[in-house]
Amino acid sequence: MLFFFHVGQYGNVKKPSTWERANNRFGITRDFAKEIGVGAVMMNTNLFDFYRPEWEYDAGVLCRIASVLVFQKVLKRYYISNTVTYRELAKLDFTAHHVDMAEISDPIIMPLLSPDGLDILCDGAQHTRTEKTANIASLPLAQKHLNVCVNSSDDHVEATNCSRCAKCQRTLMALESANALQEFSGVFDISVWKKEAFRYKCHQVFKYDTNSFAQDNVDFARKQGNGLPPKPVAYFVAGCSMVKHLPGRVVRKLRKMMQSKKNNHDRLDTKV
């Protein structure tokens, strides 16, 4: 049985486009399940009446486990893909940068929240993300159904990989390193990737020491003998991009602060 939990990752649930996007992407799960001969279940929730969708990225593991527990009476074992590897978990420096629950708790919290009669298992932590990508690269079902897109913009509701978001490009870089781009041309727009690949690789080299996703992709590319931009070039390109987008980040930060202040004020009014 395959499950599709709509717990925040598809955008603002007050927008019709979010529900259209989620339903379209469930179609991929349903079609894949049909091909391998198992059932597929989609679960929606009223969680968003008191929970912000964007928090899914900080506490997504709790959202997913809560969804699994809804079905605990009919399940004996449930597998959830890991976020980081055991090696990455052991190397995390908690003082160097922000580390959220989603990055560190998977192998620890899942057994603790498993009730009697149900094992919730963190699956795949022995493999890096690029290794898992390489492991499925030759599978026809993966080439036909793979969807990793996290694009939740209003103009992207269809069940396709946008080939521009962070997760699409992270996957495309790994597929390129594995020499499997063409095999996935049916689910990714390879022309978009080729236009943006150099810029993206520069950012990955730039983030190598601070981002485990970037480090994994860079190490895999080098292991496969794929050339990457040299550090001086990568740092220059990434630096120019950061300067270019700085005003926009400042505006978004100010808006977020103002919205948070308004929400706090509204809560105080409600209590009074």
Side-chain angles (χ1 to χ4, degrees):
M1 178 70 71
L2 300 181
F3 291 87
F4 184 97
F5 299 134
H6 184 188
V7 290
Q9 65 273 54
Y10 300 106
N12 188 337
V13 293
K14 295 181 180 179
K15 295 182 177 181
S17 60
T18 296
W19 293 96
E20 183 180 355
R21 182 181 305 110
N23 286 322
N24 286 342
R25 291 185 182 172
F26 171 63
I28 299 174
T29 301
R30 184 186 58 233
D31 293 345
F32 177 77
K34 185 177 180 180
E35 287 208 42
I36 63 175
V38 302
V41 173
M42 178 178 184
M43 190 197 80
N44 295 312
T45 173
N46 67 345
L47 184 66
F48 308 104
D49 290 341
F50 52 89
Y51 183 88
R52 296 182 186 177
E54 64 268 22
W55 290 351
E56 191 271 341
Y57 292 99
D58 285 334
V61 62
L62 293 180
C63 296
R64 288 184 284 278
I65 291 176
S67 301
V68 174
L69 292 177
V70 172
F71 299 92
Q72 63 180 290
K73 291 184 178 181
V74 295
L75 296 174
K76 291 185 178 180
R77 185 172 293 112
Y78 190 93
Y79 294 93
I80 300 181
S81 180
N82 65 296
T83 301
V84 297
T85 64
Y86 293 125
R87 184 172 182 270
E88 289 169 335
L89 180 63
K91 290 175 62 179
L92 283 175
D93 181 353
F94 293 89
T95 64
H97 59 90
H98 170 68
V99 178
D100 61 36
M101 181 181 292
E103 290 180 299
I104 67 170
S105 67
D106 289 357
I108 301 167
I109 201 170
M110 291 181 195
L112 292 176
L113 294 182
S114 295
D116 290 342
L118 170 61
D119 292 324
I120 302 175
L121 303 176
C122 176
D123 184 51
Q126 70 272 31
H127 299 296
T128 66
R129 287 166 293 278
T130 52
E131 286 173 346
K132 287 187 286 187
T133 302
N135 286 342
I136 66 169
S138 62
L139 300 179
L141 283 174
Q143 296 165 6
K144 180 179 179 181
H145 294 289
L146 182 66
N147 186 279
V148 299
C149 192
V150 293
N151 188 336
S152 58
S153 61
D154 290 340
D155 60 351
H156 187 74
V157 297
E158 62 271 19
T160 59
N161 292 301
C162 72
S163 304
R164 290 186 171 86
C165 71
K167 201 166 182 180
C168 278
Q169 296 201 339
R170 184 195 312 159
T171 306
L172 280 161
M173 182 173 174
L175 289 172
E176 182 181 273
S177 297
N179 296 314
L181 271 183
Q182 286 307 125
E183 286 82 349
F184 288 83
S185 60
V187 292
F188 288 103
D189 188 336
I190 306 302
S191 64
V192 170
W193 166 246
K194 289 183 176 180
K195 291 178 182 177
E196 302 191 13
F198 178 75
R199 175 199 58 80
Y200 183 78
K201 291 174 185 177
C202 284
H203 280 267
Q204 298 306 285
V205 172
F206 176 75
K207 295 176 181 179
Y208 183 85
D209 293 323
T210 59
N211 185 292
S212 61
F213 295 158
Q215 187 174 104
D216 179 30
N217 246 332
V218 169
D219 285 345
F220 185 62
R222 289 171 175 165
K223 182 179 178 180
Q224 300 300 314
N226 287 17
L228 293 171
K231 274 190 176 182
V233 174
Y235 277 55
F236 177 77
V237 172
C240 289
S241 178
M242 292 173 66
V243 171
K244 178 181 177 181
H245 293 99
L246 181 60
R249 289 199 298 271
V250 171
V251 171
R252 287 192 294 273
K253 182 70 173 179
L254 290 173
R255 286 178 178 171
K256 188 175 181 180
M257 292 172 60
M258 292 172 65
Q259 185 61 47
S260 178
K261 185 175 180 180
K262 181 180 181 300
N263 290 338
N264 290 335
H265 185 269
D266 291 343
R267 281 195 291 269
L268 288 174
D269 286 348
T270 301
K271 289 180 180 179
V272 174

